[in-house]
Amino acid sequence: MFKLFKTLREAGTATVKYPFKPLEVAHGFRGKPEYDPLQCIACGACISACPANALTMETDLSSGERRWQLFIGRCIYCARCEEVCPTRAIHLSEDFETAVLNKDDLYIKSTFRLQYCRQCHEAFAPKKSVEYAMALMVASGVEESSIEALRPMYETCPSCKQKNNLLNNERRNFRLHAEGEK
């Protein structure tokens, strides 16, 4: 019996003193997602990638808003959202303590304004996505004056762009003309 106590004393402590002492996690540990709404463009890539459906997005056309929401209670910490985010607006931190007293504290929410088409006045994309596309053009070396000249094109919905391209500067496109004769 004394031999056992001696062995235990020499072995030392096998556990950590958590929660009385902070727990150090390994590098690359995937914990609670952190979200930066200023960085987000509401593209929806994270929503498509989330296997647990912890991320949702709703578009309200009447108010002209898109609501993004993360429910940490459903998150499985897979980091797919982090992998697909083009602006690095969401990443997994090393924080693993997600216990809360109120269930509403497990939700992270953000609201984005929608861009309205210059021609049909229908909402078609988040404003931040349009601004991000224009900023990418600046970053690629295109002059800002040229980009501002293209602003009407960026602020036009895909259906109106298609109609404009088919009309082709008031000359009728052959395909459109042929379909009209049927």
Side-chain angles (χ1 to χ4, degrees), residues 165-168 170-179:
N165 287 338
L166 288 173
L167 293 176
N168 199 11
E170 297 183 334
R171 289 179 291 154
R172 295 194 59 96
N173 187 300
F174 175 73
R175 191 173 115 206
L176 182 66
H177 183 68
E179 288 175 358

Side-chain angles (χ1 to χ4, degrees), residues 5 64 102 108 110 160 173:
F5 287 134
N102 187 0
I108 299 172
S110 190
C160 290
N173 187 300

Side-chain angles (χ1 to χ4, degrees), residues 41-177:
I41 59 171
C43 65
C46 55
I47 281 80
S48 299
C50 183
N53 292 327
L55 294 160
T56 57
M57 190 176 293
E58 296 174 355
T59 302
D60 184 6
L61 295 176
S62 62
S63 66
E65 294 178 339
R66 182 172 282 177
R67 291 179 196 87
W68 183 96
Q69 177 176 283
L70 165 64
F71 178 49
I72 296 173
R74 288 194 64 106
C75 184
I76 59 173
Y77 309 106
C78 65
R80 292 226 174 120
C81 54
E82 180 179 16
E83 293 168 3
V84 299
C85 184
T87 59
R88 306 228 183 254
I90 190 165
H91 67 92
L92 297 180
S93 67
E94 293 181 350
D95 183 18
F96 60 91
E97 297 170 330
T98 58
V100 293
L101 294 175
N102 187 0
K103 186 177 178 180
D104 290 337
D105 294 338
L106 291 174
Y107 287 94
I108 299 172
K109 300 177 182 181
S110 190
T111 304
F112 300 92
R113 301 290 313 154
L114 293 175
Q115 176 69 51
Y116 289 93
C117 178
R118 285 183 171 226
Q119 293 178 359
C120 67
H121 306 291
E122 294 289 323
F124 68 95
K127 272 189 176 221
K128 287 182 83 173
S129 291
V130 173
E131 294 299 325
Y132 181 70
M134 294 179 73
L136 285 176
M137 294 293 288
V138 171
S140 69
V142 179
E143 293 179 25
E144 285 192 49
S145 59
S146 301
I147 293 170
E148 283 305 315
L150 293 173
R151 183 174 284 278
M153 183 187 75
Y154 281 102
E155 294 177 351
T156 305
C157 72
S159 345
C160 290
K161 283 181 192 176
Q162 184 178 19
K163 288 175 190 172
N164 293 342
N165 287 338
L166 288 173
L167 293 176
N168 199 11
N169 295 331
E170 297 183 334
R171 289 179 291 154
R172 295 194 59 96
N173 187 300
F174 175 73
R175 191 173 115 206
L176 182 66
H177 183 68

Side-chain angles (χ1 to χ4, degrees), residues 4-67:
L4 176 65
F5 287 134
K6 182 180 177 187
T7 306
L8 288 173
R9 191 181 70 217
E10 289 173 1
T13 308
T15 61
V16 293
K17 301 215 182 287
Y18 180 80
F20 304 108
K21 203 173 174 187
L23 181 66
E24 293 182 27
V25 295
H27 177 70
F29 178 81
R30 292 186 288 190
K32 179 179 167 184
E34 287 185 358
Y35 172 68
D36 183 5
L38 298 175
Q39 200 68 13
C40 183
I41 59 171
C43 65
C46 55
I47 281 80
S48 299
C50 183
N53 292 327
L55 294 160
T56 57
M57 190 176 293
E58 296 174 355
T59 302
D60 184 6
L61 295 176
S62 62
S63 66
E65 294 178 339
R66 182 172 282 177
R67 291 179 196 87

